[in-house]
Amino acid sequence: MRIGHITLANRLFAAPMAGVTDRPFRQLCKRLGAGYAVSEMVTSRKDLWSTLKTSRRADHAGETAPIAVQIAGTDAAMMAEAAAYNVARGAEIIDINMGCPAKKVCSQWAGSALMKDEPLALAIVEAVVAACSPHRVPVTLKMRTGWCASEKNAVRLARAAEDAGVAMIAVHGRTREQGYRGDAEYETVAAVKRAVAIPVVANGDIDSPEKARRVFAETGADAIMIGRAAQGRPWIFAEIAEHLATGRAPTPPRVADVRGWLLEHLDDHYRLYGEHAGVRSARKHIGWTLRGLPGGDDFRTAMNAIESCDAQSRAVGDWFERLADRLDVMPACGFADGAVALH
Ligand SMILES: Cc1cc2nc3c(=O)[nH]c(=O)nc-3n(C[C@H](O)[C@H](O)[C@H](O)COP(=O)(O)O)c2cc1C
């Protein structure tokens, strides 16, 4: 699996999620089996680049290559500048966000609103490619199936983007109008795959090894991208890899291993965010990990009242240690038989 001249470790990608896929979480996903992870989107607005939020988003210290940065905006020249700025700060791949339905993104920064204005979308793609190609930095695109059910223009836009020099396209199988409602559909993803020669990535509602295998089969996609199902369960990439390679049910991780991963993640998280923001923003990751675990709800309530990183980390360590006395492995996820080549 390649993006331009860059070869990836495998075909399992972590989806960009603002407020979630920061560098510590991306690094954890990569360690637990993701071959690729894109940063949370960085605005093309220059006046925001020096804010703490954006500079944290642009922090790639120690991250496993390739470093991929997603940019979002509505102005071609500004987007080209944002691409160049991030390339100068270590980005090896630039991803253009045409997939985010958030109101803030659609009104101020573009996201999937760009799919409605194809000439502007293409002008942005061309400007970003022109800014990146002298540096041999591939440009990728993340989009939805279209603006609404009657305006599914993903195939047309994908063809035009390929002609403009885009190296890979990820498609979330919903329209902008759907937000996150309804189910993701994969026919449009399959149609995009048939229409272009560059790699195509299928995204949307992939939440188990079995589903991953089905989406590969239904779309013919070169890779799959997982977002929400990796929240609190970043080892899903390893589980999918194992299932695709063997066709058998993956081995669930040991509770003791999950404890170790979570504590390392928290440590990395605190170092990026500091005491005040760190203890707060870590709560969501801990809460997601507790989902479905016996006694997890009660512990989440107690943990949310803790105000220091040290105490939070100790409480999490103790709780998982006690859980490991009662439960050897984490609850399993779905599977079916059949092997799929991973690389
Ligand atoms: C909390 C959250 C934040 C997101 N932020 C971004 C983003 O910054 N850029 C982007 O292209 N998509 C973003 N997305 C969309 C995801 O990348 C992905 O396309 C979507 O969640 C569908 O995949 P899933 O069903 O595996 O979660 C976000 C999704 C969530 C849930």
Side-chain angles (χ1 to χ4, degrees):
M1 174 70 207
R2 288 159 67 102
I3 301 177
H5 64 283
I6 297 173
T7 303
L8 305 178
N10 64 39
R11 309 197 285 151
L12 308 176
F13 296 2
M17 289 183 283
V20 182
T21 51
D22 52 16
R23 196 246 304 139
F25 188 72
R26 293 196 299 277
Q27 190 58 18
L28 184 68
C29 291
K30 287 177 175 178
R31 206 184 132 201
L32 297 179
Y36 182 63
V38 186
S39 76
E40 315 161 84
M41 67 192 152
V42 173
T43 174
S44 65
R45 279 180 50 190
K46 230 176 179 169
D47 55 316
L48 297 177
W49 289 347
S50 59
T51 63
L52 190 55
K53 184 170 169 181
T54 299
S55 55
R56 278 194 188 124
R57 285 188 178 188
D59 181 338
H60 309 292
E63 187 174 349
T64 307
I67 307 298
V69 175
Q70 186 183 71
I71 56 173
T74 46
D75 180 275
M78 281 167 71
M79 286 287 273
E81 241 188 301
Y85 176 84
N86 283 287
V87 168
R89 270 150 196 78
E92 296 162 298
I93 295 169
I94 292 288
D95 184 51
I96 300 174
N97 179 352
M98 283 188 200
C100 190
K103 204 158 186 188
K104 180 166 125 189
V105 174
C106 283
S107 57
Q108 292 173 15
W109 289 0
S112 51
L114 278 181
M115 292 194 73
K116 206 173 184 179
D117 187 343
E118 289 180 32
L120 176 59
L122 276 177
I124 287 175
V125 167
E126 283 164 6
V128 173
V129 169
C132 291
S133 51
H135 305 282
R136 285 193 80 220
V137 169
V139 175
T140 62
L141 202 59
K142 180 156 177 288
M143 59 164 76
R144 288 190 165 227
T145 54
W147 178 257
C148 60
S150 58
E151 290 283 339
K152 284 195 182 175
N153 58 345
V155 167
R156 199 168 55 236
L157 202 52
R159 280 202 182 112
E162 178 179 40
D163 288 345
V166 161
M168 184 187 78
I169 294 174
V171 186
H172 174 189
R174 286 186 175 86
T175 61
R176 189 266 166 194
E177 193 181 59
Q178 275 181 288
Y180 288 90
R181 288 182 304 277
D183 295 327
E185 54 91 358
Y186 307 110
E187 294 86 25
T188 308
V189 184
V192 171
K193 170 61 191 164
R194 287 192 300 272
V196 297
I198 52 175
V200 171
V201 185
N203 169 240
D205 296 354
I206 301 169
D207 57 3
S208 69
E210 184 181 26
K211 184 83 181 267
R213 192 169 63 87
R214 186 156 73 71
V215 172
F216 267 126
E218 278 181 25
T219 59
D222 300 277
I224 54 168
M225 180 179 264
I226 295 164
R228 290 165 296 173
Q231 293 173 348
R233 202 171 123 210
W235 54 88
I236 191 173
F237 299 102
E239 291 184 322
I240 292 173
E242 185 186 341
H243 175 58
L244 295 183
T246 66
R248 290 191 295 274
T251 323
R254 299 187 58 233
V255 171
D257 290 334
V258 169
R259 175 182 182 275
W261 297 329
L262 185 52
L263 290 180
E264 278 172 37
H265 180 205
L266 290 179
D267 200 40
D268 207 7
H269 189 90
Y270 301 149
R271 270 187 275 124
L272 180 63
Y273 292 97
E275 179 76 25
H276 184 79
V279 69
R280 283 161 183 76
S281 56
R283 287 174 188 153
K284 60 179 179 285
H285 291 284
I286 301 167
W288 288 326
T289 313
L290 293 170
R291 272 185 310 208
L293 293 176
D297 285 349
D298 289 343
F299 176 60
R300 186 174 44 245
T301 307
M303 182 271 303
N304 281 343
I306 297 174
E307 295 283 346
S308 89
C309 295
D310 200 39
Q312 187 183 58
S313 171
R314 224 171 327 108
V316 167
D318 291 348
W319 192 84
F320 273 91
E321 200 169 292
R322 287 195 299 278
L323 184 68
D325 290 339
R326 291 187 288 148
L327 203 67
D328 187 35
V329 296
M330 296 291 279
C333 52
F335 75 97
D337 287 338
V340 173
L342 190 56
H343 294 275

